[in-house]
Amino acid sequence: MAVEASGSTSGTDAPVIMGDTPGTFAWGVLTKRHPALIQQVRDAFPYAPEQHQALDTLLEEITEGVIEPLPTAAHDHSTWAAWGREHFGCSWFDAPFLWAESYFYRKLLQAVGYFAPGPWQGVDPFAPFKQAELRSEEMAEELGALDDLAARPEHEQAEALLHASLWGNRADLGFRISAEDAAHSAAVSYLVADDSSLLWSLLTADEPVTVNVVADNAGRELIPDLVLIDHLLRHRHASIVTLHVKPYPYYVSDAMTADVIDCLRRLLQASGRAGEIGQRLWQAMSAGQLTVDAHPFFCAPLPYRDMPEDLRAELSEADVTILKGDLNYRRLVGDQLWEPTIPFQDVTAYFPGPVAALRTLKSDVITGLREETLAGLEGSGQDWRTNGTHALIQARR
């Protein structure tokens, strides 16, 4: 289904984040992370000279050139032409950061021939990075920790799995926590906002609850999401869960349907509790209790307030939508320099239905902080907005 094109980047007058200020997080992504990623992708596959030349061209464009449109033969040329009409011919640093970052990944797929007929069509350039995580010793240890967690009371399991999903690749912290654990206290102390009680109230109702989970990363971050989904289904916090993923590779490690299947197979290969969870989830998919959706808008360079009507209608059918990760948060509230104390409820009022965000902070965007929390963070001397050491659970009815 086609995505409606829109040039809107903001629903308010809060400044949109750009990448043109040296030393900022956005500037660092454009000048350092993206060129490094081109090299990592180049090294991960034995690409042909054609792909190497295209990667060289892309590297030159993002470091020394201006934003160029996609080839007219690209299947989504007209869509991106509408989205980028104000930015083509400009420096990458002069476009909104969310747009520039998203377009970089689309052009990277163009360079490696992901969409073009040929031997590299449909080959995920980020697959080696995702698969390495699933094969890691850390992953095996985290799955093994589920055996110990199974002996805990249900409410402790629920809290542990929620934190595991929240912290992503620090999930080993989440699987082991309980009210008595020092690890739990450490995890909670790094929460800049905690609406977990409200979230659980949304997931506890007399009638069956339907839940959307908008996924973020694959690998070690998707596994805890799936384990949490299993808990929601098993303990009747949800009757049906729809897992929303990306339709094609995006932002290095973002999850697609293929990544969901890889994670389910990794669970099935495990012994003990993890293997049982894998079996239940596999059966849940077969029974329609767990479904996977991949709407094109999840790879759009736009905030969720610009979502097309078909996606809005789809999300509105659920009793609650849980958005995972930093990028989804940026798109939920808008990739803007908000006053940090602006209420989360206000900036998400447009969203169709109750919504919650589970996010480890890895970019400058933040909303919904208390004055005293903000003062403490600002006085800490840390790059708390971007270094991944802090997280939040925010929700609204």
Side-chain angles (χ1 to χ4, degrees), residues 16 19 25 54-55 63 68 87 97 109 161 175 178 201 220 250 256 272 278 288 303 355 361:
V16 174
F25 175 78
L55 289 170
T63 55
E68 300 286 354
H87 312 310
F97 178 48
L109 294 183
L161 296 177
F175 282 144
S178 73
S201 73
R220 285 180 65 198
Y250 198 58
M256 303 186 298
V355 63
L361 276 60

Side-chain angles (χ1 to χ4, degrees), residues 20-360:
D20 57 352
T21 303
T24 62
F25 175 78
W27 180 86
V29 169
L30 296 177
T31 59
K32 300 177 182 179
R33 183 179 298 179
H34 287 176
L37 181 58
I38 289 176
Q39 188 60 49
Q40 291 170 357
V41 167
R42 188 196 302 269
D43 293 341
F45 288 95
Y47 286 122
E50 178 183 355
Q51 280 77 38
H52 284 287
Q53 182 177 356
L55 289 170
D56 288 340
T57 300
L58 178 59
L59 179 61
E60 182 178 359
E61 178 182 329
I62 66 172
T63 55
E64 302 176 16
V66 297
I67 301 172
E68 300 286 354
L70 292 173
T72 55
H75 73 282
D76 51 354
H77 169 80
S78 60
T79 299
W80 278 99
W83 286 338
R85 59 181 177 269
E86 299 176 2
H87 312 310
F88 295 134
C90 299
S91 166
W92 283 78
F93 300 94
D94 292 333
F97 178 48
L98 177 64
W99 189 95
E101 198 173 14
S102 297
Y103 190 51
F104 165 78
Y105 284 99
R106 175 59 187 87
K107 296 213 76 173
L108 182 61
L109 294 183
Q110 189 71 27
V112 298
Y114 181 84
F115 293 110
W120 295 103
Q121 185 176 33
V123 177
D124 182 357
F126 311 128
F129 315 136
K130 301 173 183 177
Q131 293 166 1
E133 286 193 355
L134 292 179
R135 294 192 300 265
S136 68
E137 293 183 5
E138 292 85 357
M139 185 78 266
E141 292 175 359
E142 289 158 12
L143 294 179
L146 288 168
D147 292 336
D148 295 332
L149 186 62
R152 304 284 180 87
E154 191 273 334
H155 72 278
E156 289 188 10
Q157 294 184 43
E159 182 183 17
L161 296 177
L162 180 64
H163 278 260
S165 180
L166 167 66
W167 288 103
N169 59 13
R170 295 175 62 186
D172 57 322
L173 178 70
F175 282 144
R176 293 173 172 81
I177 65 175
S178 73
E180 294 77 28
D181 288 339
H184 173 265
S185 299
V188 171
S189 70
Y190 285 103
L191 286 180
V192 302
D194 185 4
D195 293 338
S196 53
S197 295
L198 174 56
L199 174 56
W200 284 117
S201 73
L202 295 172
L203 294 168
T204 305
D206 295 333
E207 298 181 358
V209 175
T210 57
V211 178
N212 291 315
V213 176
V214 183
D216 185 34
N217 292 332
R220 285 180 65 198
E221 298 194 29
L222 184 57
I223 289 280
D225 298 341
L226 290 169
V227 175
L228 176 62
I229 289 171
D230 170 72
H231 185 90
L232 297 180
L233 291 171
R234 187 181 181 212
H235 293 277
R236 302 182 185 277
H237 292 294
S239 58
I240 296 176
V241 176
T242 300
L243 181 62
H244 297 270
V245 297
K246 303 297 190 298
Y248 55 79
Y250 198 58
Y251 278 68
V252 185
S253 57
D254 280 25
M256 303 186 298
T257 302
D259 301 311
V260 175
I261 302 307
D262 285 346
C263 287
L264 289 178
R265 287 181 173 144
R266 179 64 183 89
L267 286 167
L268 287 169
Q269 292 167 1
S271 60
R273 187 73 165 181
E276 295 172 4
I277 292 171
Q279 291 176 1
R280 285 197 297 268
L281 288 170
W282 196 278
Q283 293 170 358
M285 290 192 72
S286 299
Q289 291 177 290
L290 173 59
T291 62
V292 179
D293 186 69
H295 195 284
F297 189 77
F298 288 114
C299 287
L302 306 172
Y304 284 130
R305 69 171 58 252
D306 289 343
M307 73 177 78
E309 288 305 316
D310 64 324
L311 179 59
R312 181 180 297 275
E314 184 178 348
L315 295 178
S316 68
E317 294 177 356
D319 294 296
V320 60
T321 296
I322 301 172
L323 293 104
K324 282 294 314 297
D326 196 76
L327 175 60
N328 278 322
Y329 189 85
R330 291 165 59 191
R331 297 185 70 189
L332 175 64
V333 303
D335 202 34
Q336 299 168 240
L337 294 174
W338 296 104
E339 172 58 42
T341 56
I342 187 172
F344 175 77
Q345 292 82 356
D346 290 357
V347 294
T348 61
Y350 72 90
F351 198 85
V355 63
L358 305 183
R359 174 210 183 194
T360 303

